[in-house]
């Protein structure tokens, strides 16, 4: 019994030395870890639908929203976990890029409630927070990576959010639940409100695409065959060069569902932001599946 005061003092010291935010990243289980699902609510309002696919798009995850610097693209982990639990409890099944491609070609019938879960930009929070939650439900995910992320926020001048490391990418890939796609090598920014990708010549775009594939090869990762256009913007040059370089799937940010026979390089996605309430998330799925 005399040891308890000492243990309590040690615990308090650890809490002071290691803030909760830092501990969370270290203690969350690695991708593929077996966890018991948290209770989720089954939604009886979801009606049967015809064979359509919904694509959800996420960006950055945070432990808690910052009220002083709100960021719609930074979703609290608790909300992400609730959404994944909702999908699982209501019978939605995550699919892979290969399955989606076969579906578009009419070569594969997918389950009625099929969903593709994607992440843009390749933030480290995808590994620290999203991967453990999705492993809990055995869900597949796709991360569209920036080959050379911008290191400084151009607006604030502060260090940019940390992105995935090569080791983290390799561990995600080895888990068997994650795939990667192209989100430019080093052209993910805007000029006068437009994606700089639109101003590249065919030769410049070709070089960017090749640099990205060389990076994937250097990390011993499979070549990418899917692209997410930065800011959802594209033009004829982008579409032609992407197809010429062997990419078979292209994603915009235009809301909508996917059906067989659609142009595989112009696929719709629903962007999930921190402004979306749980009721709106349910309504979005119900509206699209009914």
């Amino acid at each position: 019994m005399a040891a308890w005061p000492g243990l309590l003092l040690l615990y308090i010291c650890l809490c002071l030395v290691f803030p909760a935010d830092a501990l969370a990243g270290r203690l969350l289980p690695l991708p593929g870890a077996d966890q018991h699902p948290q209770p989720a609510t089954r939604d009886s309002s979801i009606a049967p639908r015809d064979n359509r696919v919904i694509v959800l798009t996420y960006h950055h995850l945070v432990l808690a929203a910052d009220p002083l610097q709100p960021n719609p693209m930074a979703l609290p982990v608790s909300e992400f976990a609730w959404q994944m639990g909702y999908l699982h409890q209501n019978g939605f099944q995550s699919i892979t890029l290969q399955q989606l491609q076969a579906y578009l070609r009419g070569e594969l019938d997918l389950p009625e409630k099929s969903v593709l879960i994607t992440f843009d930009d390749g933030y480290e929070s995808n590994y620290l927070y999203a991967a453990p939650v999705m492993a809990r439900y055995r869900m597949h995910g796709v991360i569209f990576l920036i080959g050379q992320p911008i290191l400084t926020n151009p607006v604030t001048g502060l260090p940019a959010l940390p992105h995935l490391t090569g080791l983290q990418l390799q561990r995600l890939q080895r888990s068997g639940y994650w795939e990667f796609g192209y989100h430019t090598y080093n052209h993910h920014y805007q000029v006068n409100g437009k994606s700089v990708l639109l101003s590249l010549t065919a030769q410049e775009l070709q070089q960017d695409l090749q640099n990205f594939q060389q990076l994937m090869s250097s990390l011993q990762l499979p070549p990418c065959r899917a692209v997410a256009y930065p800011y959802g913007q594209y033009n004829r040059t982008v579409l032609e060069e992407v197809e010429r370089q062997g990419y078979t799937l292209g994603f915009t940010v235009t809301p909508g569902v996917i059906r067989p026979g659609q142009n595989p390089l112009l696929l719709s996605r629903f962007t999930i932001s921190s402004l979306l309430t749980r009721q709106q998330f349910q309504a979005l799925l119900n509206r699209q599946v009914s």
Side-chain angles (χ1 to χ4, degrees):
M1 294 296 292
W4 281 108
L7 291 175
L8 180 60
L9 178 61
L10 176 61
Y11 174 79
I12 294 174
C13 291
L14 286 173
C15 290
L16 293 174
V17 174
F18 298 103
D21 187 83
L23 281 174
R26 290 175 172 80
L27 297 183
L28 278 175
L30 293 174
D34 187 17
Q35 301 184 55
H36 296 292
Q38 297 296 320
T41 303
R42 184 180 299 276
D43 189 350
S44 59
S45 67
I46 291 184
R49 64 176 172 90
D50 60 342
N51 198 17
R52 294 177 284 177
V53 173
I54 296 173
V55 183
L56 304 178
T57 302
Y58 296 90
H59 289 78
H60 180 46
L61 299 184
V62 293
L63 290 177
D66 185 349
L68 299 180
Q69 294 181 330
N71 180 358
M73 295 298 101
L75 185 70
V77 177
S78 59
E79 287 305 301
F80 178 77
W82 182 88
Q83 291 175 5
M84 294 301 102
Y86 178 85
L87 294 175
H88 174 79
Q89 188 67 22
N90 288 281
F92 287 87
Q93 298 187 40
S94 64
I95 62 173
T96 66
L97 291 172
Q98 184 178 7
Q99 289 174 317
L100 178 61
Q101 184 172 333
Y103 162 84
L104 288 168
R105 292 174 174 172
E107 302 169 353
L108 178 67
D109 289 329
L110 292 174
E112 282 193 353
K113 294 181 180 180
S114 293
V115 60
L116 182 70
I117 303 171
T118 69
F119 298 79
D120 282 3
D121 302 336
Y123 294 115
E124 188 180 38
S125 63
N126 300 165
Y127 177 87
L128 295 177
Y129 306 133
V133 171
M134 293 176 66
R136 179 185 305 166
Y137 300 112
R138 297 294 186 263
M139 288 182 170
H140 294 271
V142 182
I143 302 176
F144 290 100
L145 303 168
I146 303 171
Q148 284 190 339
I150 298 174
L151 300 179
T152 303
N153 187 308
V155 177
T156 65
L158 299 174
L161 293 170
H163 286 71
L164 291 158
T165 67
L167 179 60
Q168 290 169 336
L169 291 172
Q170 291 168 345
R171 298 192 70 177
L172 289 173
Q173 196 272 330
R174 286 199 299 267
S175 75
Y177 286 94
W178 290 88
E179 305 173 84
F180 308 112
Y182 168 82
H183 206 40
T184 80
Y185 180 70
N186 61 354
H187 287 91
H188 190 284
Y189 57 96
Q190 291 180 309
V191 176
N192 297 325
K194 290 186 178 181
S195 170
V196 73
L197 210 65
L198 304 182
S199 65
L200 299 184
T201 65
Q203 185 176 5
E204 290 170 334
L205 183 55
Q206 178 183 1
Q207 188 63 57
D208 192 82
L209 288 158
Q210 291 176 350
N211 287 343
F212 184 85
Q213 294 291 26
Q214 289 171 4
L215 173 64
M216 300 300 287
S217 176
S218 70
L219 294 173
Q220 298 181 329
L221 296 171
C224 296
R225 292 292 176 256
V227 54
Y229 308 110
Y231 315 103
Q233 299 174 7
Y234 55 88
N235 57 20
R236 174 179 286 186
T237 301
V238 170
L239 294 178
E240 290 178 350
E241 196 57 41
V242 161
E243 186 173 20
R244 186 177 294 114
Q245 293 295 319
Y247 287 81
T248 55
L249 296 173
F251 295 88
T252 69
V253 293
T254 303
V257 297
I258 296 176
R259 298 180 177 85
Q262 284 187 228
N263 186 336
L265 293 179
L266 295 175
L267 300 174
S268 299
R269 298 188 293 173
F270 292 100
T271 299
I272 306 301
S273 79
S274 61
L275 303 179
L276 195 73
T277 67
R278 293 182 176 183
Q279 292 75 20
Q280 290 170 331
F281 183 79
Q282 293 172 311
L284 180 151
L285 292 170
N286 189 31
R287 203 162 39 240
Q288 302 306 323
V289 301
S290 59

